[in-house]
Amino acid sequence: MLNRRKFLQLSSFAAPLLSVKNVLTNDVSQTKPIVISTWDSGKDVNTAAWKILSTGGRALDAVEAGARQIEDTINCCVGLGGYPDRDGIVTLDSCIMDEKANCGAVGGIEQIKHAVSVARKIMETTPHIMLVGEGAQQFAIENGFKKEPKELSPDAENAYKGWLKKSEYKPVINIENHPGENPGKDEHGPFAPAFFDDGSANHDTMGLVALDNSGNLSGAVTTSGMAFKIHGRVGDSAIIGAGIFVDNEVGAATSTGVGEENMRICGTHLVVEFMRQGDSPEMACRKAINRVISRDMAKAKTFQLAFLALNKKGEYGAYAIQKGFVFCVKSNGEEKIIPSKYVFDTQG
Ligand code: SD4
């Protein structure tokens, strides 16, 4: 018979195997609290969110703290250090949603660092959900947010100068190459840079969703949006149901990639609805990706779009159109960067 000591020895032997299984299937059950976030920069974002989740805090506070962490990072691809629009102006989109379907969003806001906190302020203190442009900035300043200088970060400045030579709006397929973990071309070094030398941009969005100890879900997303976009363009990261969606009975989802392609299908809402019908988070993301691809396969090969989802049990999963999307997970049992499953390997 298996005594307790033997069982513990066996389980500690089995733990690494179980965690390999989890990487392969992304299947963990009854895990809370937990936070998952887009791209490898999600690792530090998760750490910020975890400070709140691990001490019994609210998922809403955790996702805001995570988004603020990356908005604070200087010279980063998300936030005011990100790439500007075609007129050389950085504009941010963000949205946030809690377990009661309260939500707030901000689109095309300039010179305010913490777009996610403006979105939360809109959610908590106004009868509205979204403010955009000058009105959003005015609201932020009235509510004590500091107006930041207009200048571009050094990286963004260089990229913009490079881009101006041709001034063509041609988003690159956003990927990250992790040697060993994510086999493929590593010509951009151990981690693909956010921005390539010719002025083209990689990824610029942080989306995260969390489940707290009380079993409540929340999500937030923040971005400088597609580089060199037309001034005034607002992307999916400001749209509830596209950038994020939360249904506390079911699950939550977030997205990154070409926002227009996500907005066409209200992607994160769709992912949550698939989970409601019984799909696992990964299958729900896969079905939303299929919805996009089935409309125009040839076009889908030319852009990146990825979904990341978490259900009420703390199970998570992701799916991307292109190889190269990674996401980060943090819970009591795991802290990982996981390469997402994908449909096409056009970069390989
Ligand atoms: C947008 N979805 O503005 C964002 C861009 C993005 O990684 O996710 N980039 O369309």
Side-chain angles (χ1 to χ4, degrees), residues 21-77:
K21 177 189 166 262
N22 288 345
V23 171
L24 295 175
T25 63
N26 295 342
D27 175 24
V28 281
S29 45
Q30 304 294 343
T31 304
K32 69 180 182 184
I34 180 168
V35 56
I36 58 173
S37 54
T38 55
W39 305 111
D40 61 14
S41 42
K43 196 167 178 293
D44 293 339
V45 164
N46 285 358
T47 302
W50 190 250
K51 279 194 187 131
I52 292 167
L53 291 172
S54 60
T55 50
R58 263 185 96 185
L60 180 70
D61 294 328
V63 294
E64 184 190 9
R68 285 177 66 95
Q69 187 280 334
I70 199 157
E71 288 172 343
D72 263 331
T73 313
I74 309 200
N75 224 358
C76 162
C77 45

Side-chain angles (χ1 to χ4, degrees), residues 79-297:
L80 290 179
Y83 275 20
D85 61 25
R86 69 178 189 187
D87 295 349
I89 302 165
V90 177
T91 65
L92 307 184
D93 297 339
S94 177
C95 64
I96 189 160
M97 188 165 188
D98 76 5
E99 75 278 4
K100 296 191 182 104
N102 295 312
C103 38
V106 66
I109 193 168
E110 293 175 31
Q111 293 176 264
I112 302 290
K113 195 196 267 184
H114 291 301
V116 71
S117 297
V118 180
R120 182 166 178 180
K121 198 82 186 168
I122 294 166
M123 163 175 123
E124 289 179 338
T125 66
T126 81
H128 309 304
I129 287 180
M130 186 192 288
L131 295 179
V132 301
E134 270 177 37
Q137 191 194 63
Q138 187 188 328
F139 170 84
I141 291 165
E142 279 167 14
N143 281 280
F145 290 81
K146 186 174 154 228
K147 191 170 174 184
E148 305 288 341
K150 212 167 187 165
E151 72 248 20
L152 300 179
S153 66
D155 277 359
E157 175 99 53
N158 276 343
Y160 184 54
K161 281 190 189 140
W163 179 79
L164 279 174
K165 288 182 195 146
K166 284 196 188 156
S167 301
E168 280 173 354
Y169 181 71
K170 267 197 188 164
V172 291
I173 291 174
N174 37 14
I175 55 162
E176 275 171 354
N177 288 320
H178 288 209
E181 282 178 16
N182 196 19
K185 278 192 180 171
D186 292 325
E187 76 269 36
H188 298 302
F191 294 87
F195 311 129
F196 298 124
D197 296 341
D198 61 359
S200 56
N202 197 351
H203 59 82
D204 31 48
T205 299
M206 171 50 56
L208 69 160
V209 290
L211 177 68
D212 64 28
N213 228 5
S214 312
N216 287 322
L217 289 155
S218 287
V221 58
T222 185
T223 188
S224 52
M226 298 299 288
F228 318 126
K229 60 197 175 185
I230 295 173
H231 184 64
R233 179 262 190 189
V234 173
D236 59 333
S237 305
I239 309 292
I240 298 293
I244 44 161
F245 193 70
V246 177
D247 184 318
N248 210 44
E249 285 183 0
V250 178
T254 188
S255 175
T256 182
V258 176
E260 282 74 7
E261 305 304 333
N262 179 18
M263 285 151 86
R264 268 183 241 290
I265 61 158
C266 299
T268 55
H269 181 261
L270 188 62
V271 169
V272 171
E273 288 309 299
F274 284 137
M275 289 195 286
R276 189 193 305 284
Q277 289 161 21
D279 287 322
S280 69
E282 184 182 293
M283 181 54 77
C285 293
R286 166 82 215 215
K287 283 186 172 174
I289 290 292
N290 281 357
R291 181 73 61 92
V292 175
I293 292 174
S294 62
R295 294 229 166 109
D296 189 338
M297 170 101 72

Side-chain angles (χ1 to χ4, degrees), residues 307-318:
F307 294 107
L308 177 57
L310 178 66
N311 70 13
K312 267 304 255 195
K313 289 193 261 174
E315 295 167 333
Y316 59 82

